[in-house]
Amino acid sequence: IAFEGLDSQGQLGLLHLTSDVAVFALDGQHRLMGIQGLMRLLRTGKLQPYTKIKKAVGEAITLNDIEEVSALTPEEIENLVSETVGIEFIPAVVAGETRAIARQRVRSIFVHVNLMAVKLSKGQLALLDEDDGFSIVTRQVAVTHPLLMEKRDRNPRINWDSATVASKSTVLTTLQALKEMTQRYLGDRFPHWLSPKPGLVPMRPDDDELEEGMQELRRLLDALASLPSYQRLERGEETPVLRRFSFEKPGGESNILFRPVGQVAIALGLGVLVFQQQKPLMSLLEKLRSFDAVGGFNGIEYPESLWYGVLFDPNKRRIRVAGRDLAAKLLVYILGGIDEPMDRAELRRGLSEARTFENRAVSFEGRFVKPREIKLPEVL
């Protein structure tokens, strides 16, 4: 863009925005649309209303209509053309930048602006954030890992915007859940990636740390992809039948590996075992494969399931998101990560409370028992 300096220091001047220069509104899009509509109204004398799908509806708005509802005179409306608006221009690429650096800078500005104004959805933040290490790692791995990447011969595996997965959806997870899995799994490995205070933008990690984070996340996804339940996807089975409850129509297997809350709980539990307790991921994976092979993640609406009352609310017959942390602790326990008697006693009490309804607990055999009779299962 040509710049014509008007002062001796070149700090004040004119930008010559020709017709071949593209300018995009990063913020204030609705104000821009309002100004464009006003200019069209003043130029043509009318403005056609449209629906959200850009279909003309109703009669065109005229200048007389504007005068009636705004109490402005025709002269005052015409003078609006001369109003000035302050604009900050952000170059798409600054001299000396690479494309990657320029993209990182512009995305970072966009996220910062929206953090201070209308909040982006968590999925949009994870997709665009160039400062949060967990978001960067999640994005990079999500588009390259065989379990998640898009392929021509199958349905997409990721919902990139919404935080939930609909009953009939064929996606495996959401970007928001993947970002949370990454944060829960790698949080103990990279605690300095977390924001120091809520609402503050974290410092972008250096490239070496980001590469290490991506390698660790790939190892986790490689491990999960080898589980029998996820192997069924490679044989052509679809996620709805594996995700849905048995009482839904059509019924399913209610497998928590196909629910975002279950995926996050498993990542959290494995993160504790791998990075806090320094247990090898491969040895944990062997136990998880055996647990999965006998249906350990299936049928969470049945009392014999470890996740009954924890991730499934039998009264409301729906997923219980509040049980995620307890589910992660149970996973740590069955994988041999809780040895202290007091810790086991506290976990048993938590499981007992989750399976207690109106002072009656439901045993793994499906019988009503006293809450103190609920016992922890055997360690794998």
Side-chain angles (χ1 to χ4, degrees), residues 15-139:
L15 283 177
H16 295 276
L17 300 178
T18 56
S19 59
D20 60 344
V21 174
V23 181
F24 301 91
L26 286 184
D27 191 47
Q29 294 95 333
H30 290 87
R31 288 184 288 276
L32 175 59
M33 291 175 66
I35 294 170
Q36 290 173 333
L38 171 66
M39 300 303 288
R40 187 179 300 114
L41 176 64
L42 293 174
R43 186 174 64 251
T44 65
K46 61 181 180 180
L47 187 65
Q48 176 64 51
Y50 289 88
T51 64
K52 289 184 178 180
I53 59 174
K54 297 185 178 181
K55 180 180 179 182
V57 60
E59 296 182 355
I61 299 170
T62 65
L63 281 172
N64 290 334
D65 296 327
I66 299 297
E67 292 173 20
E68 292 178 7
V69 299
S70 67
L72 294 175
T73 65
E75 292 78 14
E76 290 173 327
I77 295 176
E78 291 287 344
N79 287 337
L80 290 174
V81 177
S82 302
E83 292 284 340
T84 59
V85 179
I87 299 175
E88 180 181 3
F89 287 93
I90 300 170
V93 181
V94 175
E97 282 185 337
T98 64
R99 184 177 185 273
I101 293 175
R103 182 180 62 218
Q104 174 187 324
R105 175 178 53 80
V106 174
R107 281 183 170 183
S108 181
I109 291 171
F110 177 73
V111 171
H112 286 207
V113 167
N114 282 279
L115 279 173
M116 302 303 171
V118 177
K119 294 286 186 180
L120 296 172
S121 73
K122 290 184 178 180
Q124 291 168 332
L125 277 172
L127 188 62
L128 295 169
D129 201 331
E130 287 288 352
D131 296 295
D132 181 79
F134 302 109
S135 295
I136 298 169
V137 167
T138 301
R139 251 193 340 260

Side-chain angles (χ1 to χ4, degrees), residues 282-353:
M282 289 302 102
S283 64
L284 299 172
L285 179 60
E286 292 178 7
K287 296 180 179 181
L288 280 182
R289 284 202 196 104
S290 300
F291 184 69
D292 189 18
V294 297
F297 295 116
N298 287 353
I300 64 172
E301 72 267 46
Y302 298 112
E304 56 264 32
S305 171
L306 177 61
W307 319 109
Y308 179 85
V310 179
L311 291 178
F312 175 75
D313 186 334
N315 289 330
K316 298 179 180 179
R317 304 181 81 191
R318 67 186 186 191
I319 285 291
R320 187 171 179 269
V321 177
R324 182 190 61 194
D325 290 347
L326 176 58
K329 291 178 182 178
L330 286 169
L331 184 74
V332 172
Y333 164 76
I334 64 173
L335 292 175
I338 299 180
D339 298 322
E340 293 294 328
M342 289 298 295
D343 293 337
R344 290 195 174 198
E346 183 179 348
L347 180 61
R348 189 211 65 79
R349 184 168 59 251
L351 178 62
S352 175
E353 291 175 355

Side-chain angles (χ1 to χ4, degrees), residues 186-206:
L186 297 178
D188 286 315
R189 176 64 188 86
F190 303 107
H192 52 285
W193 286 12
L194 297 169
S195 176
K197 290 183 180 180
L200 292 183
V201 177
M203 292 289 292
R204 179 186 173 93
D206 61 44

